[in-house]
Amino acid sequence: MNQKPGRVIAILGMHRSGTSCLTGSLQEAGLDLGECHTWNPYNKKGNRENQAFVDLHDRILADSGGAWDQPPERAIWSAGHLAAGRRLLADHASSAVLGFKDPRALLVLGGWKSLLPDLEYVGIFRHPEAVAESLQNRSQIPREEALSLWYAYNRILYREWCQERFPLLCFDQEETVFNARVDTVVRQLNLDPVASPQRFYDNQLKTFAARSHHGLPWKIRFLYYKLKRASL
């Protein structure tokens, strides 16, 4: 019998869309992330990613002819990738509730579904212009390319939500509203209520705000509208 954690929760969302903030907030509520990054130059509290998961996702994307910024038409998990995924789960088998966060997970979710039929989800999204500005600042990605990536990732996010109806948050909400939504997610996921008044969310670290829809392609505006309708 394959060893694995009692529960596994995937935090889903596009790069620069609040996944780190959501993941850190859930970590405060008892979600186990294993060994994760707690600082980097573009995220002072860390992206909360477990590097072993990121490395596996990068290998799958590369072997499928793509990368995080060049999503392949289809991400194919080889037998070796599946074996590596099982080893990762076995490495965290002592965890009651394990979470993993990596935006690439949206591109490779099929393999995790096959390994974990009872995989749970929580998602987050952000205004496309804010994501585009943040990607340009971090990775020098031009606006049109960044918006195309926003659409590619969030189209998958919305498709998965339509199938599973998991908790979905909007990172454009102001701090008190966002934290209230996090508390709702914590209850829905049966995690521990956050006792500390000092929350993970820090509005001073949120450097790019939501912008107008003016100038956005129609399909991007419509997808953002659908995500807003689906969110808590």
Side-chain angles (χ1 to χ4, degrees):
M1 180 180 296
N2 292 327
Q3 291 185 315
K4 60 182 182 179
R7 295 168 60 198
V8 182
I9 300 173
I11 296 92
L12 304 177
M14 166 65 183
H15 300 264
R16 316 307 295 167
S17 294
T19 53
S20 303
C21 182
L22 174 56
T23 304
S25 298
L26 296 179
Q27 187 181 28
E28 288 181 331
L31 185 65
D32 180 19
L33 303 176
E35 185 177 348
C36 67
H37 297 297
T38 56
W39 185 92
N40 71 45
Y42 296 96
N43 195 326
K44 302 306 181 184
K45 290 191 173 184
N47 58 26
R48 302 287 147 169
E49 292 173 3
N50 185 316
Q51 192 62 44
F53 282 86
V54 175
D55 289 345
L56 173 57
H57 297 161
D58 273 335
R59 287 199 302 274
I60 295 166
L61 292 173
D63 292 345
S64 300
W68 76 266
D69 56 349
Q70 296 179 354
E73 185 174 337
R74 183 185 174 201
I76 301 174
W77 287 60
S78 68
H81 298 146
L82 290 169
R86 291 189 191 95
R87 286 195 296 272
L88 267 180
L89 296 175
D91 287 344
H92 298 86
S94 61
S95 176
V97 189
L98 177 72
F100 69 87
K101 170 260 169 178
D102 175 21
R104 300 163 186 79
L106 275 169
L107 306 179
V108 301
L109 204 52
W112 288 118
K113 288 182 175 182
S114 68
L115 292 175
L116 293 164
D118 54 354
L119 180 63
E120 301 172 56
Y121 311 94
V122 58
I124 191 168
F125 65 96
R126 188 182 189 185
H127 194 283
E129 290 287 12
V131 171
E133 287 190 38
S134 188
L135 280 176
Q136 199 284 327
N137 180 65
R138 186 195 71 174
S139 306
Q140 292 73 57
I141 294 178
R143 176 178 178 272
E144 287 190 8
E145 183 180 341
L147 290 176
S148 178
L149 285 171
W150 183 96
Y151 184 78
Y153 276 76
N154 283 289
R155 182 172 59 175
I156 299 172
L157 178 64
Y158 184 70
R159 183 189 69 202
E160 295 298 327
W161 179 86
C162 288
Q163 294 174 358
E164 301 289 341
R165 300 300 172 106
F166 48 80
L168 183 63
L169 281 75
C170 176
F171 197 50
D172 301 318
Q173 294 165 332
E174 57 95 9
E175 184 172 356
T176 57
V177 174
F178 181 81
N179 282 333
R181 299 294 187 271
V182 168
D183 290 341
T184 297
V185 171
V186 166
R187 290 192 296 271
Q188 291 180 354
L189 295 176
N190 294 315
L191 298 174
D192 299 322
V194 179
S196 172
Q198 185 67 37
R199 305 295 291 266
F200 189 87
Y201 187 106
D202 186 346
N203 195 55
Q204 293 184 358
L205 298 180
K206 192 176 180 181
T207 53
F208 298 96
R211 303 295 183 189
S212 166
H213 291 335
H214 180 71
L216 285 174
W218 179 87
K219 68 177 185 179
I220 291 178
R221 285 188 280 119
F222 187 51
L223 179 55
Y224 181 73
Y225 166 78
K226 291 192 291 186
L227 288 166
K228 288 276 284 186
R229 286 282 303 270
S231 65
L232 296 174

